[in-house]
């Protein structure tokens, strides 16, 4: 296929390389052109502007740092939007805002162009090794047309539906899960270190019990299914245990704001009469506060 | 070995069964005696009081619901403490407070008895299948003497050192990690659902990207090693992404208190000049606030 | 009246002085006896133990640093509990836990002694100037008997009812309000300072608009009356304004965790359909999560 | 003076009325023109567009609902920006974002127009009674020219400096203080109600001790002066008291997220070695996290 690829940073470069390796005809563009040289050697054409990279292409990828960079490359003078032909598709893989993704959806639609939001999970080494996981959303025909390309840059693909910005929400939610786990780990390591447990020993427990086990997956399934009853472990015992965590934290002088948040959630859940639901019903408390109905 | 086992609930019953199956001579006690019958059929002796279960045993386990139940069984009249011989060891596997674990350490030491704190990770089905993970701490000789028993109830064992209550902190920290992940998942599911992504689809992403992958483990290792530089992904980009999460949450009307907590952490980190550290340096911010020094 | 007074720290000393000045016969005790000398000169008798200070007195005050000090002075050997006569009343003015206040209630009742919990608001200079505000609770007869004494140490008295520990909850809640205001002020000063407003200028605004005005009182009244409709200023505008605060905070790089908390509260309130209630209906959101019914 | 006034809602109408009463020549505009009639009767001229209201005026006020309304009235076709003469001044009293205030600063400067940001504190009844408090910022000459007008709508005025958007930050910070106090009160009322204290009784305490007293003002002064030592009441006792609040909250089953936030702040402060500073040093902890230096 005839492709454009805009943005050759740590992530874009290996992705473009894998598209070339899959036999596609790729025209690349990068703000600092030196980055394009390794791809020229592998057979890529190098464009002088994003518009030029888009001209004549069936699909054009963007993989850029943030909203500002995407806006410049798409809507700037000689931008992608100006160069992309009718019926051609813009595949946006950058981690951008929901608002910009919605603006792109409309701008491309108005111009008779397709738009697929397709952010990726994985670090540069995963991009290089074709091990990214792609989440894609957009009009069905556009997603299907991009599918072989999305499969060429990663190890798997989840298609989320026709609303392009949903893919951005999912990508952002994934980064949110990582940051949450890091805060949780930060607090747990601080508490255990101040209680006399070496970090490498707690790390061993984390690996043995959590990182490679099915625990998080099981609880995620309960929340996905909103299956909070019968309780495997009831919320009132969850409250008791988090209470003991905070007592230990007070004793060791370790502020644990995430621990405090959990305690207030469980205390509210029990005060409102949900103490016999499974402790994963944190998911229900959060959903209720967001105005979500069960099963919606 | 001659053993006592006190507490035959969902967890204690299968653990005692596995000790019997490993060839040990086990005397059991439970507040409601009916629970003991299945074990009597398998060869266990049934005691009338905790003291009786402890008398003559080399090692006595307790596996009870909470601090109150442990205090009653150990320090009550005809309690374990009264029955346990000099040199014999109490192995406490219940999820109890650090304070009670320290009290048990002292009380047993004063009586010339040994004490090992050995809580377990895993649900009743894991206990039944000998798939628990045990974390144990206490005087070296006592831990070594209990080791074959701890190995007989689970798939693995981490020994944490000589301070018994450290094992309780680790167990509580593990439950804290689970609850944290559930809060994070609850917020992420609420955001994605309100943004039009079906729960089962986000669940698929969670499974593919997080639950079975090495992501959490890698970040845990960075925090364990306090290796925040060079940054794989710098904190200022973490701030940007969490900012985008909160914008999406505002747009979808989903309160995300954990998201807000992360945002304030990153904003503080960047304001204090740490924007170029890896975003896992959340661990450093937490540690600093706890008064911990690097590498301690 | 014949009185005992136990605890002559920064607060106790001026309170005892005012009781002497009101014409009562006061026997004092303090752990370090030197503190008692100024009162001896003013006519006080100095006891060697708390029990001695209590013996023969109609009412005995305690004003001590914390739970531990009160427990020692009341239940220790030669403690107040041992010396206090049947029918005499212990007035506890220390800031202690609800749990200890409940224990004191029972212990005195069992011994045929009265107990009034009467913590005070005000700093040492207010105590000296008889400007404390007293909140008292306990059996009616005991409170009435103590009333002239409570009036002799302060400028006013609120009687809360028969449940003594309620006075401790009220005192703690007052300190909570002060700490809350300090956190709010801390965040507001940080934001305004980083936005180029000198602290003394923002202080002038605080004085002119808030500290001496009826604003806080008016809002407190709305929450006390649960009168959230019709809205003077609706919650959805509150959400908008707090959203603007957080935008400003992000721009100035000032973490405002209390701002984030407020934002999540308002976002949840609006998501749950309460956007047209007055923005003081934060009170309703908090009450609901505590399982309180309207008007209870 | 010849004035324009744009926006005749609950706040704008009485402000315009007071400017008329002060003898100024006022041309008003409102989106729905019926609102202008009462002022026409009092001598105001009614314009057909914001531009018309601005034409020929020395100063034009805007008092509108939010950013969107201000943007429309100023930058829309026939907007204020088009009608305002060179050297004339736009006084913006709406509660708007810092970002919009900065955009207005630039747009007016480019057109040779003046801009003063002058939001007000007070409800419609205060506006009617000329009891608003105004905070104003902008170029000195523009502020001085507007001063008699700002004094004509309120009881007092604080001039913040030359950076117009600082006034918006101060207004938003004021609303933040109110919302903070409401959250604090909401939590305190929930705790006391569940502990058996009637709301009207706690309200009496709030009035007697806090609302009409100098407590909040004193603590604000300590934070404004960064005078955290010597401690009137040290942070470690603050930690103790907030700890007792949370114990009471747990006992009464009242989630107090602001209480938890305070506890984590104090715990961190003590862990970092600041336990002997005054408990108002919450202000120092917040400032440090914002990257502020002492005295800056």
């Amino acid at each position: 296929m005839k492709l454009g690829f805009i943005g050759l940073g740590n992530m874009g470069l290996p992705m473009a390389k894998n598209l070339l390796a899959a036999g596609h005809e790729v025209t690349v563009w990068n703000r600092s052109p030196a980055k394009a040289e390794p791809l020229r050697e592998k057979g890529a054409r190098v464009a002088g502007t994003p518009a030029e990279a888009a001209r004549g292409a069936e699909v054009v990828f963007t993989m850029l740092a943030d909203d500002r960079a995407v806006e410049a490359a798409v809507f700037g003078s000689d931008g992608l939007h100006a160069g992309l032909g009718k019926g051609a598709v813009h595949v946006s893989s950058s981690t951008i805002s929901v608002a910009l993704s919605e603006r792109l959806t409309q701008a491309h639609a108005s111009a008779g162009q397709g738009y697929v939001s397709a952010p990726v999970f994985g670090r540069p080494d995963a991009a290089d090794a074709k091990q990214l996981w792609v989440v894609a959303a957009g009009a069905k025909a556009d997603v299907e047309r991009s599918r072989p390309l999305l499969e060429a840059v990663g190890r798997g693909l989840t298609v989320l539906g026709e609303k392009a910005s949903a893919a951005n929400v999912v990508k952002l939610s994934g980064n949110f899960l990582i940051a949450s786990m890091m805060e949780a780990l930060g607090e747990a390591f601080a508490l255990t270190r101040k209680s006399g447990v070496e970090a490498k020993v707690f790390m061993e427990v984390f690996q043995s019990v959590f990182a490679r086990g099915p625990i998080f997956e099981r609880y995620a399934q309960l929340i996905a299914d909103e299956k909070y009853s019968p309780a495997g472990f009831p919320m009132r015992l969850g409250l008791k245990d988090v209470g003991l965590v905070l007592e230990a934290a007070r004793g060791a002088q370790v502020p644990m704001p995430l621990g405090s948040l959990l305690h207030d959630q469980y205390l509210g859940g029990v005060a409102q009469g949900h103490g016999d639901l499974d402790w994963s019903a944190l998911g229900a408390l959060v959903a209720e506060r967001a105005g979500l109905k069960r099963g919606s």
Side-chain angles (χ1 to χ4, degrees), chain A residues 61-114:
Chain A
F61 280 76
T62 48
M63 189 53 166
L64 296 152
D66 53 20
D67 277 31
R68 197 165 302 185
V70 171
E71 286 177 282
V74 174
F75 296 117
S77 64
D78 291 317
L80 180 159
H81 192 256
L84 196 66
K86 274 199 194 244
V89 179
H90 172 200
V91 173
S92 164
S93 289
S94 318
T95 301
I96 57 172
S97 70
V98 171
L100 178 55
S101 194
E102 287 172 353
R103 184 179 160 207
L104 288 166
T105 302
Q106 294 186 331
H108 286 302
S110 313
Q113 302 161 345

Side-chain angles (χ1 to χ4, degrees), chain A residues 1 3 17-26:
Chain A
M1 219 183 280
L3 308 179
K17 186 205 70 179
N18 282 326
L19 289 167
L20 273 171
H24 299 287
E25 197 178 326
V26 187

Side-chain angles (χ1 to χ4, degrees), chain A residues 82-286:
Chain A
L84 196 66
K86 274 199 194 244
V89 179
H90 172 200
V91 173
S92 164
S93 289
S94 318
T95 301
I96 57 172
S97 70
V98 171
L100 178 55
S101 194
E102 287 172 353
R103 184 179 160 207
L104 288 166
T105 302
Q106 294 186 331
H108 286 302
S110 313
Q113 302 161 345
Y115 173 63
V116 172
S117 185
V120 300
F121 287 101
R123 294 214 168 195
D125 55 346
D128 193 66
K130 240 194 80 169
Q131 289 298 308
L132 300 173
W133 191 273
V134 185
V135 289
K140 203 159 184 178
D142 297 333
V143 171
E144 285 315 309
R145 197 155 158 206
S146 320
R147 183 184 285 273
L149 310 170
L150 300 174
E151 287 172 350
V153 300
R155 66 182 166 95
L157 168 69
T158 303
V159 176
L160 298 166
E162 305 242 12
K163 192 178 167 195
S165 66
N168 303 92
V169 173
V170 166
K171 168 62 184 172
L172 291 170
S173 297
N175 282 11
F176 163 73
L177 289 179
I178 297 173
S180 297
M181 182 42 60
M182 294 191 298
E183 173 71 24
L185 285 163
E187 296 186 12
F189 272 107
L191 176 60
T192 50
R193 279 170 66 197
K194 281 197 90 171
S195 304
V197 179
E198 277 182 85
K200 70 177 182 194
V201 174
F202 187 67
M203 181 67 203
E204 185 192 317
V205 174
F206 181 71
Q207 283 171 318
S208 308
V209 178
F210 296 99
R212 295 174 189 167
I215 291 186
F216 291 151
E217 191 170 347
R218 270 197 218 163
Y219 281 111
Q221 194 68 58
L222 293 176
I223 295 172
D225 297 343
E226 297 179 87
K227 190 170 161 29
Y228 302 125
S229 165
F233 187 70
M235 203 181 268
R236 64 191 153 67
L237 290 186
L239 174 58
K240 184 208 74 167
D241 279 8
V242 176
L244 294 178
V245 170
L246 293 187
E247 272 180 33
R250 195 185 300 191
Q253 293 194 341
V254 177
M256 295 180 73
L258 176 46
S260 296
L261 167 57
L262 296 171
H263 189 259
D264 286 321
Q265 297 281 60
Y266 280 129
L267 191 57
V270 169
Q272 292 182 291
H274 305 315
D276 288 327
L277 293 183
D278 191 75
W279 69 325
S280 57
L282 278 179
L285 300 177
V286 169

